[in-house]
Amino acid sequence: MRRNYSDIAIAEAIAILGCVAFFAHLPGPVMLVLGLCLFAAPGYVWSEVFLSRRDRGLERVAVGTGLALMVPVFGGIVLYAAGIPLNRTAWVGVLSVATLVGAAVALITRRRRRDDPAPRRPARTRRWSAWHAVAFGAAAVIAAGAVGLAVVSADAQKYSGYTQLWLTPLPGQPSRASLGVDNEQGGATQYRLVLRRKGRVSATWTLTLANGQTWQRTVPYTTSFAMAASLYRLPDLQDPYRAVDNGAALPGKPAATPSPHPSGTHS
Amino acid sequence: MTVVDRTPQGGPPAQQRPVPGPQEAAGTVPESRLPISVVTLIASVGVLVASAAYAAGRMGYASSPWADRAYWLGQALIVAPVAERLLSRRRLSQGGAATLVVVLTVAEYLLKVCYSPLSFTFTDELLHWRSTVDILQTGKLFTVNYGLPVSPRYPGLEEVTSALISVTGLHIFVAGLIVAGVAHLLFICLLYLAFWSFSRSYRVAGIAVLVYNSTPTLDSFDAMFVYETLALAFLGLAVLAAWRTATGRSGADRARWFMLAVLAIFATVVTHHVTSYMLVVSLFLVAFAGLITRTGHTTLRVGALAVISAAAVACWVIFIAPGTLSYFRPTVVGLARGLEALQSGSSSGAPSTSAAPLGNQVLEGIVVLIITALLPLGWWQVWRRHRRHPEIVAMAIGSLAWFVALALRVGTPDGQELAGRIATFVYIPVSLIAGLALIRLVNAALVRRWESAAIAVAVAGTLMLLFDGLSNGWPPYWERLPGPHQVAGFERSVGPEEIATAQWTLTALGPGNRFAADIGIYPLLIGYGDQNPLQGAGYLYTTRTFTPAIARQAKEQAVQYVLVDQRLSQSLPASGTYFPGSSTTGNQPIPIGDLTKFNQVPGVARVYDNGDIVIYDLQGARSAP
């Protein structure tokens, strides 16, 4: 009986192409398609090893999918035990090797099962009508539209804008601090940032930041005297919009953030 | 049509063959007027309607009754046609039943995606997001996860996702959705195959899966990017492979399935603790049922797999994940206390009713009654038709766990939570036994005379089961629709502002700092911030001044930073409590002075301010005089 080995050959080709694509740094869409095929390939070839020709349909797909998910689980543990870092190269290697080895074993088992007859498929009495195909197609389009609607509505969901201000010592450098402003107000915003040392203004910056833009400086830092940074949102120069400090200001540091409750404000 | 079923009184597994009903065999069963393609189309419309309800929620109509009704209409459009096709006595092919199961699962998963389509928002998903990022960044397994320390010791999910990201270049969120979606669909398909293999009736299998869809956690915890989702797929494969090992035609077949079962067992053990324990219990139960039904080969082969799985679990816990024992200690202690209280008849302190709205509680009560009523009928069917089938007898024994879960729910502290989490496993045998009962009811001679009405009642009952699962599952009723920010909530406490704050903590402060924070931003600090937020730090927020006693307590707890969300002073907590690990319910908003007191504490640096959220560095703190 002649056997068709084209499926195994395709799986092997995917494994080899996956490696080539990885090392050749092919474009993203090519990597995506090849990567998905490479991810699924070990499951397919190993399902050919484990299942007989009598096992068909959903069971074959389920076992193949399960095996495809198992390969990274076991592969990762083996790599970790061998002291190999789990980076891209390692994962591509694991999946390719699993596919090639699985393909070789599948070829051997198929040859051994040469006399194992495939089950006779029941004659198809009904064929899909065009209407059914149209209905399934329409269902897929509608479902995709539902997900698209969710993405668009979530993306367009209105959140109140905000501005981040920070003053933190740099890790490992206690005498220097990061002073920064990040604008997420939804549009370009003008600020004035005032840095005070011992209560006196030591530096002032007037900033115009686009939405999503960050401004950051490294400044000398100490906790032996008071340091505070106040951010004003122009044109208001009376009430600080945001405020941070080093904790050395005593007593009663200004609470710059406007509070909805008067009792929360500090002088 | 009579249900396709096994030989009455059972028989040796090797002789089990589907027995078509007389009408079906003769080809006299009429076609349904509702083709499966149309069922699929209606289900997709249901997804669209529910997605529109979500969109309305995001536009500010989350509290609108119309948006809520649209959501339930969408759910009804998904479930009702599938239920009608499975429950009706019209012709249904094996492929048709499988397609219906797939359509139902995919539609519900798409709704889960639609709820949160841009990023992970559920607490546990954020925890696994963290572990996946750690593997991608460090190339190592078993990294530190501050929110769920035990999870890196079960790295299956993160390994699979890392591999997919590495070979495709996909974003972690998209890769996570794909892995979780494929694993969830695989689990349901394997469940269907297992039910079909046990009962030799694809209609029973389809109905059992339909009933299983009423599990409160199925479309949330069991479909999310969490380790249980993947482990369930491996459990399903292990169970199916174990059955094929027991009933395989030839020695070679059995050997191959045995190897596959062993691989699936190991994969389950590596991926999730509770699921692997449940797998051990299931395999031992089938082996025990083999003894009862005198099917020695089942006892021998499945028993061997059970022993292997128990050994694998023990080895993994001892050598790789010893922290699992301490992780479960509080749960086991609470369970023991609750059971002790149940035995002695005293109060365990557990609430007798849930905090859900009355409608949800009534629905829950009705569903409990329905399932409790179906089980005896299902057991009767098992006795009549399947008493020599070890797998079905094992399912019948396992379905007794339904009553244990009920006892847990009412009798133990956190009983609702615990019963909800074990429902994933308890509902597996319950679904099959209830499916056998339902099919018996639908085929009853009396019912056949009133077929349309009977099917309508059955579909309505199924809808109630599924709606109960949804309404008493996750997200909670007060977050059923996405919407504006909620104070101390779950998914609706996750927004751009909170994400940016969490990301800032990692960038500016580095990982692993001990934070006091409210329950809303807590998972984000773990996930995006890689911080170590603390439980039971609510005392820092509820006093007017920073007293020496509080300073001492904070020092003992080694609190480094306090994150103050000033919106805690504006709203009651959506989840019932403001702070993680705190049982005190918020009856009134926290006074703003309690939150801003850190501004006056000597040595406390105010390091971050975004308007709503302020972060204080407590490491130089001296208490107020």
Side-chain angles (χ1 to χ4, degrees):
Chain A
M1 186 193 299
R2 279 179 67 82
R3 288 257 183 170
N4 187 355
Y5 295 105
S6 57
D7 55 340
I8 303 294
I10 290 171
E12 287 173 334
I14 286 170
I16 294 164
L17 278 175
C19 284
V20 171
F22 172 70
F23 287 110
H25 300 289
L26 292 183
V30 178
M31 281 304 298
L32 176 63
V33 174
L34 265 178
L36 288 173
C37 293
L38 181 59
F39 193 81
Y44 178 78
V45 293
W46 282 103
S47 71
E48 289 296 305
V49 173
F50 282 109
L51 301 183
S52 75
R53 300 185 72 199
R54 281 188 293 270
D55 302 313
R56 289 275 163 200
L58 187 61
E59 193 169 57
R60 187 167 279 276
V61 174
V63 169
T65 309
L67 285 166
L69 294 172
M70 277 184 212
V71 168
V73 174
F74 296 132
I77 301 258
V78 170
L79 288 178
Y80 181 78
I84 300 170
L86 301 175
N87 52 28
R88 287 190 68 193
T89 314
W91 285 122
V92 170
V94 161
L95 296 175
S96 299
V97 168
T99 305
L100 292 173
V101 172
V105 179
L107 279 176
I108 295 167
T109 49
R110 266 195 196 180
R111 282 175 185 275
R112 282 187 182 170
R113 292 181 209 157
R114 189 171 285 176
D115 299 327
D116 185 11
R120 194 177 292 169
R121 289 189 180 187
R124 288 181 180 273
T125 53
R126 294 168 58 210
R127 298 186 66 183
W128 271 21
S129 72
W131 285 112
H132 288 202
V134 168
F136 278 120
V141 170
I142 292 170
V147 176
L149 172 65
V151 170
V152 169
S153 64
D155 210 28
Q157 186 171 1
K158 287 190 169 57
Y159 291 98
S160 55
Y162 60 96
T163 298
Q164 301 182 93
L165 171 68
W166 63 88
L167 176 68
T168 51
L170 295 174
Q173 299 181 59
S175 62
R176 303 181 72 77
S178 166
L179 174 65
V181 181
D182 177 53
N183 172 29
E184 302 291 343
Q185 296 289 159
T189 309
Q190 281 195 312
Y191 304 98
R192 180 162 298 167
L193 179 61
V194 178
L195 180 64
R196 292 185 177 84
R197 294 173 186 277
K198 297 179 182 174
R200 294 178 186 166
V201 175
S202 71
T204 302
W205 295 271
T206 301
L207 313 169
T208 302
L209 299 180
N211 186 45
Q213 192 178 354
T214 300
W215 176 93
Q216 194 169 334
R217 289 285 182 280
T218 301
V219 296
Y221 186 77
T222 180
T223 52
S224 55
F225 56 80
M227 276 183 71
S230 302
L231 183 73
Y232 298 86
R233 187 176 177 184
L234 299 177
D236 183 3
L237 284 168
Q238 293 297 314
D239 300 314
Y241 187 56
R242 304 281 181 262
V244 288
D245 60 53
N246 68 348
L250 294 175
K253 293 173 284 183
T257 301
S259 165
H261 302 280
S263 61
T265 57
H266 303 273
S267 57
Chain B
M1 184 203 75
T2 305
V3 177
V4 177
D5 226 327
R6 285 204 273 200
T7 319
Q9 303 302 321
Q15 296 171 0
Q16 290 163 10
R17 295 284 186 277
V19 182
Q23 283 180 305
E24 190 169 83
T28 55
V29 181
E31 283 279 348
S32 171
R33 283 164 297 209
L34 198 61
I36 286 170
S37 57
V38 176
V39 172
T40 309
L41 188 60
I42 297 171
S44 69
V45 172
V47 174
L48 183 62
V49 171
S51 181
Y54 288 162
R58 293 188 186 101
M59 290 168 66
Y61 297 98
S63 305
S64 159
W66 285 104
D68 202 45
R69 284 170 201 153
Y71 168 79
W72 289 113
L73 173 65
Q75 286 287 0
L77 287 171
I78 292 169
V79 174
V82 173
E84 196 277 337
R85 275 308 308 264
L86 285 169
L87 288 164
S88 82
R89 299 172 61 248
R90 306 277 170 149
R91 183 182 295 169
L92 179 66
S93 68
Q94 182 182 358
T99 307
L100 290 172
V101 166
V102 170
V103 165
L104 180 61
T105 308
V106 170
E108 291 292 350
Y109 186 72
L110 284 179
L111 272 190
K112 185 258 172 203
V113 173
C114 289
Y115 185 88
S116 184
L118 299 180
S119 64
F120 293 126
T121 52
F122 177 64
T123 303
D124 287 26
E125 289 184 311
L126 291 165
L127 306 185
H128 289 284
W129 184 94
R130 179 75 258 155
S131 293
T132 308
V133 169
D134 288 344
I135 289 178
L136 288 168
Q137 288 179 345
T138 66
K140 291 178 180 172
L141 300 179
F142 311 132
T143 51
V144 175
N145 187 311
Y146 297 106
L148 194 56
V150 76
S151 74
R153 295 279 150 181
Y154 295 88
L157 177 75
E158 289 83 357
E159 286 179 281
V160 174
T161 312
S162 303
L164 184 61
I165 291 167
S166 296
V167 297
T168 59
L170 285 170
H171 186 270
I172 186 169
F173 173 63
V174 179
L177 285 184
I178 290 173
V179 171
V182 168
H184 180 58
L185 181 59
L186 178 60
F187 169 56
I188 297 298
C189 288
L190 286 164
L191 201 61
Y192 168 79
L193 283 170
F195 287 156
W196 177 75
S197 300
F198 299 165
S199 67
R200 304 302 290 178
S201 163
Y202 45 83
R203 194 181 290 273
V204 168
I207 292 172
V209 169
L210 186 67
V211 175
Y212 188 74
N213 262 273
S214 62
T215 309
T217 51
L218 187 67
D219 298 318
S220 51
F221 289 96
D222 304 342
M224 288 174 171
F225 180 62
V226 297
Y227 48 1
E228 185 173 321
T229 301
L230 181 61
L232 284 171
F234 293 143
L235 175 139
L237 188 54
V239 169
L240 182 71
W243 183 81
R244 295 296 299 265
T245 302
T247 61
R249 286 188 179 87
S250 66
D253 260 359
R254 289 195 293 271
R256 282 195 296 269
W257 281 104
F258 186 85
M259 280 191 284
L260 192 57
V262 170
L263 286 175
I265 287 167
F266 287 159
T268 312
V269 170
V270 172
T271 306
H272 188 232
H273 36 71
V274 172
T275 307
S276 60
Y277 308 155
M278 290 299 169
L279 177 59
V280 174
V281 171
S282 307
L283 293 175
F284 272 116
L285 195 58
V286 174
F288 174 67
L291 280 178
I292 296 175
T293 55
R294 295 177 187 173
T295 44
H297 51 274
T298 299
T299 305
L300 198 66
R301 294 167 195 160
V302 179
L305 288 170
V307 170
I308 289 171
S309 62
V313 166
C315 287
W316 193 263
V317 170
I318 292 168
F319 297 113
I320 307 292
T324 313
L325 299 175
S326 56
Y327 174 69
F328 282 114
R329 189 168 296 136
T331 309
V332 173
V333 169
L335 196 62
R337 281 185 191 151
L339 292 175
E340 199 179 333
L342 266 182
Q343 276 185 335
S344 63
S346 63
S347 169
S348 66
S352 57
T353 56
S354 74
L358 183 64
N360 287 14
Q361 292 183 44
V362 170
L363 189 61
E364 191 179 3
I366 292 172
V367 165
V368 165
L369 288 177
I370 289 175
I371 292 182
T372 307
L374 284 174
L375 285 179
L377 185 56
W379 294 331
W380 180 49
Q381 288 302 302
V382 172
W383 175 254
R384 278 189 62 212
R385 292 171 174 270
H386 306 283
R387 65 174 178 264
R388 291 186 187 168
H389 299 163
E391 300 83 12
I392 295 194
V393 170
M395 288 280 177
I397 297 169
S399 65
L400 291 169
W402 168 256
F403 299 100
V404 177
L406 280 183
L408 283 178
R409 185 179 291 185
V410 296
T412 61
D414 298 328
Q416 288 276 1
E417 166 80 9
L418 196 59
R421 297 304 289 268
I422 64 166
T424 301
F425 305 100
V426 171
Y427 267 71
I428 293 175
V430 166
S431 300
L432 183 60
I433 302 304
L436 289 172
L438 273 172
I439 209 84
R440 180 70 190 90
L441 284 175
V442 170
N443 282 330
L446 184 66
V447 169
R448 270 188 244 172
R449 285 187 213 155
W450 307 92
E451 183 179 340
S452 299
I455 299 301
V457 169
V459 169
T462 311
L463 272 178
M464 287 179 79
L465 288 177
L466 270 79
F467 281 10
D468 168 60
L470 290 166
S471 60
N472 291 303
W474 198 270
Y477 67 93
W478 39 269
E479 284 189 348
R480 184 169 294 138
L481 301 181
H485 179 272
Q486 284 194 332
V487 168
F490 297 112
E491 276 84 348
R492 277 177 59 179
S493 291
V494 177
E497 189 178 343
E498 293 75 25
I499 292 172
T501 304
Q503 288 171 334
W504 177 86
T505 62
L506 181 58
T507 308
L509 307 176
N513 295 292
R514 294 173 69 83
F515 261 84
D518 66 88
I519 204 167
I521 202 167
Y522 179 89
L524 290 166
L525 284 176
I526 300 166
Y528 295 120
D530 199 12
Q531 303 301 328
N532 185 8
L534 306 167
Q535 300 228 351
Y539 63 90
L540 283 163
Y541 299 86
T542 50
T543 57
R544 192 72 185 181
T545 55
F546 191 72
T547 62
I550 289 175
R552 204 178 312 116
Q553 199 172 347
K555 196 171 182 182
E556 283 168 5
Q557 218 177 352
V559 180
Q560 291 175 280
Y561 296 93
V562 179
L563 185 148
V564 175
D565 188 336
Q566 302 194 31
R567 290 169 293 189
L568 302 188
S569 68
Q570 298 166 21
S571 301
L572 289 171
S575 60
T577 181
Y578 284 111
F579 304 106
S582 164
S583 57
T584 47
T585 53
N587 296 325
Q588 56 182 18
I590 299 173
I592 187 71
D594 294 7
L595 299 176
T596 57
K597 62 174 174 279
F598 301 101
N599 285 324
Q600 286 93 23
V601 181
V604 171
R606 181 179 166 122
V607 295
Y608 173 90
D609 181 4
N610 80 3
D612 291 322
I613 298 169
V614 178
I615 296 175
Y616 298 95
D617 182 349
L618 232 59
Q619 292 167 96
R622 297 172 296 249
S623 57

